[in-house]
Amino acid sequence: PLENLLQTWDIETIGSPWQQVSYQPRLHQPDVDGMTIGEDVYIRFVGYRQREQILRPAKVSRTLPPRASTDSSNQP
């Protein structure tokens, strides 16, 4: 699986889909201008890092899309 390959290459994910996190410009790519450090945002697309190097920042948004809100309520 992909997870095993990433682990072999010492690559970690940055966040998980729909996870709420504090915005950090080094780790996150905002979908709009004007986000402030520490602002609560949601991971829309997972990012990747290898040790301290950011390979791809996670894409984040201030809000969840409507479908994500209803999908997450169906999870245990």
Side-chain angles (χ1 to χ4, degrees), residues 31-49:
D31 64 348
V32 296
D33 293 332
M35 285 189 186
T36 57
I37 295 173
E39 179 178 345
D40 286 339
V41 295
Y42 296 95
I43 302 284
R44 297 289 294 272
F45 296 96
V46 174
Y48 296 93
R49 69 189 298 165

Side-chain angles (χ1 to χ4, degrees), residues 9-76:
W9 291 342
D10 200 22
I11 295 175
E12 301 174 45
T13 58
I14 300 172
S16 58
W18 316 133
Q19 177 185 15
Q20 187 174 22
V21 298
S22 295
Y23 175 66
Q24 297 179 40
R26 183 172 172 272
L27 301 176
H28 304 130
Q29 177 184 354
D31 64 348
V32 296
D33 293 332
M35 285 189 186
T36 57
I37 295 173
E39 179 178 345
D40 286 339
V41 295
Y42 296 95
I43 302 284
R44 297 289 294 272
F45 296 96
V46 174
Y48 296 93
R49 69 189 298 165
Q50 190 173 38
R51 297 179 194 90
E52 294 302 313
Q53 181 181 5
I54 305 303
L55 304 173
R56 176 73 180 136
K59 292 187 180 182
V60 296
S61 178
R62 285 185 171 129
T63 60
L64 290 174
R67 183 172 168 85
S69 298
T70 58
D71 286 350
S72 63
S73 65
N74 293 333
Q75 294 180 2

